[in-house]
Amino acid sequence: MSNVTVRDLWMEYPNQVVLERVNLEIPSGEFCALVGPSGCGKTTFLRLLLGEERPTRGRILLDGEPLVAEPGPDRGVVFQRYSVFPHLTVLENVILGREFQQSRFLGRLFGARRRAALEEARGVLEAVGLGNHLGKYPAELSGGMQQRLAIAQALILKPKILLLDEPFGALDPGTKAQMYELLLRLWSEEKMTVFMVTHDLKEGFTLATRVLAFDKVRVDPTDPGAYGARITYDLPLTLKKAAMGALAPVG
Amino acid sequence: MRRIINRRPGRGGALFWGALPFLVACAGYGVASALRLAENPNDKLLPPLSAMVAAVARVAFTPDARTGDYLMWADTLASLHRLGLGLGVATALALVIGIGMGLIPYVRAGLSPFVAMLSMVPPMAVLPVLFIVFGLDELSKVVLIVVGVAPFLVRDLAMRTVEMPREQLIKAQTLGANTWQIVLRVVLPQMLPRLADALRLSLGPAWLFLISAEAIAATEGLGYRIFLVRRYMAMDVILPYVAWITLLAFASDLLLRWFNARCFPWLRAGKASP
Ligand SMILES: Nc1ncnc2c1ncn2[C@@H]1O[C@H](COP(=O)(O)OP(=O)(O)OP(=O)(O)O)[C@@H](O)[C@H]1O
Ligand SMILES: [Mg+2]
């Protein structure tokens, strides 16, 4: 279960209001697409959900409990950039989550447990189409490949909430379609709640069960930072959700 | 004709251009030395190669009449021992304090003004204090190297750690890492090559501090020997010693570079090989 409730949330930086009066009620298992003009605060909103920053006013509740004010394994993330570790190979990047989880002191697995983690990682990497690049370092991958690696890395721990910041921006249409399929499959299998920032409206409507549009409703021409963005449209795509539910395996 | 910035020497060319300044310097010395000796066969300032070879044979390959040691090796061992200890302690301090300051806000708040101030203390100015506090033997020399080098290493490592993309630390937390695991698997592996680079840059200062301390108070060591034979204007010993010290420093630099290339293959990954 992972209901997300946002109550009267404000986010202000010195000289600038980024978000104002955001209210949301996201039931568990929703796939939200966040859209809006560049610089309106979508990444900021993800960072708040992640617990990396605290709202200046208002609250975020996770299943009715206040959000733990630091990032944790229940919330996976794929950033716009710098999401993968440059000093680890593709395979090592993906098993890292398991190593953190199972080896509290050394952060490293050996023997049978390492082999099991590697096996699992190979499966996930195969699914994101990186099966032939297991031994490469991130610097040797293209931008789109790095994003796919970041997705594989985030998915291995099966987080309850997945936050994606423009994950498919650098991909070609064919690979995008593959990634959509993968993401939708995992989403319906794992019953995650997904928040995905995208600039591609079509992508938003293809994937999401709900589209949230951020924008400023008030603008002070003499002081652009005076007012923040709000959620101007909150479109539930219920029909599609029903259709997806029918497609998803019973259970 | 192509622009000069686009013209590169080949393999042999690079070798030739690299060797040229060395050859010029050697030839210059040879000529100057020959000229002076022609005027005055007892000239001590620019001894000929033969004199230097003889001096090296004396200090490096014949046991000293008084102590029975091979002086040059004993000096080398003593100096390298001090240098190794000093740099080792400085490196350990840098790892613990530098990464601590870079990663943990409370450690940064507590230590960064202090370390910033400390790094401005001129090490040579506190050398008398070190001699008074730690005595005239080994310890004070090692401490001088630590005092001289550690603040730079600590501050450099702290800055490099702070510069790490925040996303990486957040990412590690979303993968469930605790602080210790983050240090061990994310920060340390990426900081070790930076530390090796910083260490390479501090080799020069470290030798400077070592030789100064040895010149003032020691009974053996490369710096001690140079300043001892200076009294007899024994250029035939001083020059080979200087060359030897240079070679040692150069070799340690090379070793650290090799260590980085060998142990951290990801550093070079993705950069087109030249
Ligand atoms: N740490 C910060 N300090 C001050 N202002 C900030 C900070 N982070 C973001 N902002 C401001 O908040 C606003 C929203 O930034 P944000 O990164 O959330 O935009 P975005 O919607 O993700 O844009 P894009 O689509 O281009 O990625 C911007 O105007 C930015 O200048
Ligand atoms: Mg953004």
Side-chain angles (χ1 to χ4, degrees):
Chain A
M1 292 304 291
S2 42
N3 283 20
V4 177
T5 312
V6 178
R7 289 233 183 96
D8 202 24
L9 173 128
W10 289 67
M11 187 65 197
E12 291 159 67
Y13 287 116
N15 311 326
Q16 189 180 4
V17 183
V18 179
L19 296 170
E20 59 176 43
R21 237 188 296 162
V22 176
N23 280 293
L24 267 182
E25 185 69 46
I26 308 283
S28 185
E30 193 95 79
F31 193 134
C32 301
L34 314 183
V35 298
S38 176
C40 72
K42 303 178 299 292
T43 299
T44 305
F45 185 65
L46 282 197
R47 288 222 298 264
L48 290 167
L49 285 177
L50 198 56
E52 182 191 345
E53 301 217 32
R54 283 191 219 192
T56 30
R57 277 183 258 169
R59 301 204 291 167
I60 302 177
L61 305 175
L62 193 56
D63 293 333
E65 298 287 318
L67 189 85
V68 184
E70 64 173 0
D74 53 342
R75 279 158 284 158
V77 66
V78 174
F79 289 110
Q80 270 172 308
R81 47 201 199 123
Y82 300 128
S83 260
V84 292
F85 299 103
H87 62 293
L88 299 175
T89 63
V90 168
L91 205 52
E92 287 167 340
N93 258 293
V94 178
I95 64 167
L96 192 63
R98 281 271 171 270
E99 293 190 300
F100 283 148
Q101 189 184 44
Q102 296 179 10
S103 166
R104 295 311 288 172
F105 191 70
L106 283 180
R108 241 177 228 286
L109 293 177
F110 301 97
R113 288 204 296 177
R114 182 179 166 85
R115 277 195 298 279
L118 286 175
E119 204 46 54
E120 184 187 14
R122 274 195 204 98
V124 181
L125 284 167
E126 201 65 55
V128 297
L130 290 177
N132 296 325
H133 308 278
L134 300 180
K136 285 192 179 164
Y137 288 104
E140 295 165 312
L141 302 177
S142 71
M145 287 158 88
Q146 289 186 24
Q147 276 314 61
R148 283 184 276 157
L149 172 58
I151 292 171
Q153 187 186 41
L155 286 177
I156 198 143
L157 290 183
K158 312 213 161 62
K160 290 194 294 182
I161 298 180
L162 185 61
L163 306 167
L164 307 166
D165 202 345
E166 296 179 41
F168 308 128
L171 297 184
D172 64 285
T175 319
K176 253 187 202 175
Q178 277 174 23
M179 296 303 294
Y180 291 171
E181 207 174 299
L182 171 78
L183 188 60
L184 287 177
R185 197 182 74 225
L186 281 160
W187 167 66
S188 61
E189 275 173 17
E190 306 296 337
K191 310 255 179 295
M192 297 182 281
T193 308
V194 180
F195 290 86
M196 181 181 76
V197 173
T198 177
H199 281 295
D200 182 351
L201 266 181
K202 188 159 150 276
E203 180 175 282
F205 280 94
T206 316
L207 292 173
T209 57
R210 188 158 169 182
V211 175
L212 305 172
F214 285 73
D215 206 353
K216 293 191 181 188
V217 275
R218 298 178 290 176
V219 179
D220 181 344
T222 56
D223 179 9
Y227 301 108
R230 286 193 209 163
I231 295 184
T232 48
Y233 291 99
D234 181 352
L235 301 174
L237 308 174
T238 31
L239 272 175
K240 201 169 119 243
K241 193 174 179 185
M244 286 301 300
L247 284 176
V250 189
Chain B
M1 211 164 92
R2 277 186 300 158
R3 290 176 191 78
I4 193 154
I5 53 167
N6 293 326
R7 294 172 44 169
R8 301 159 197 275
R11 241 189 122 66
L15 211 66
F16 169 76
W17 289 109
L20 193 63
F22 288 97
L23 296 175
V24 169
C26 290
Y29 181 87
V31 170
S33 163
L35 283 179
R36 284 189 71 106
L37 288 166
E39 222 165 86
N40 169 12
N42 291 326
D43 180 62
K44 290 196 116 180
L45 197 61
L46 299 178
L49 194 62
S50 57
M52 289 196 261
V53 170
V56 170
R58 197 175 68 243
V59 292
F61 302 111
T62 35
D64 183 53
R66 197 160 49 82
T67 57
D69 283 341
Y70 294 87
L71 282 183
M72 193 161 147
W73 304 125
D75 287 340
T76 306
L77 218 64
S79 287
L80 285 185
H81 184 236
R82 291 165 189 151
L83 196 74
L85 267 181
L87 286 178
V89 172
T91 306
L93 282 177
L95 270 181
V96 175
I97 303 178
I99 290 186
M101 271 170 60
L103 199 61
I104 301 170
Y106 269 98
V107 177
R108 179 157 62 243
L111 285 184
S112 112
F114 184 68
V115 172
M117 200 56 106
L118 206 64
S119 67
M120 294 303 150
V121 177
M124 291 310 293
V126 293
L127 183 57
V129 180
L130 300 181
F131 280 145
I132 293 168
V133 176
F134 297 109
L136 287 177
D137 48 347
E138 298 306 298
L139 191 57
S140 54
K141 300 174 190 72
V142 173
V143 173
L144 178 69
I145 297 175
V146 174
V147 169
V149 170
F152 164 71
L153 289 181
V154 168
R155 296 216 308 162
D156 186 69
L157 206 59
M159 281 198 263
R160 298 280 161 268
T161 309
V162 171
E163 268 171 17
M164 278 184 58
R166 251 199 95 59
E167 283 86 347
Q168 283 194 24
L169 300 183
I170 304 286
K171 181 81 202 199
Q173 295 177 61
T174 64
L175 295 177
N178 56 36
T179 304
W180 172 244
Q181 287 172 325
I182 292 178
V183 170
L184 213 57
R185 292 301 313 273
V186 178
V187 180
L188 197 59
Q190 294 189 64
M191 287 305 122
L192 278 180
R194 310 265 183 273
L195 182 64
D197 276 340
L199 204 57
R200 283 175 61 192
L201 292 181
S202 32
L203 282 175
W207 275 100
L208 169 73
F209 296 130
L210 175 69
I211 291 177
S212 317
E214 286 180 343
I216 295 172
T219 51
E220 57 177 355
L222 295 166
Y224 161 75
R225 193 70 52 200
I226 292 180
F227 277 80
L228 183 73
V229 301
R230 182 190 66 108
R231 292 181 210 153
Y232 322 115
M233 256 186 80
M235 289 292 270
D236 54 346
V237 175
I238 295 179
L239 291 181
Y241 258 66
V242 172
W244 176 234
I245 292 172
T246 310
L247 200 70
L248 286 176
F250 184 74
S252 22
D253 185 72
L254 214 61
L255 201 72
L256 282 168
R257 213 163 72 189
W258 176 82
F259 169 79
N260 260 4
R262 182 69 215 274
C263 301
F264 309 107
W266 56 271
L267 280 177
R268 269 206 334 238
K271 294 198 187 111
S273 45

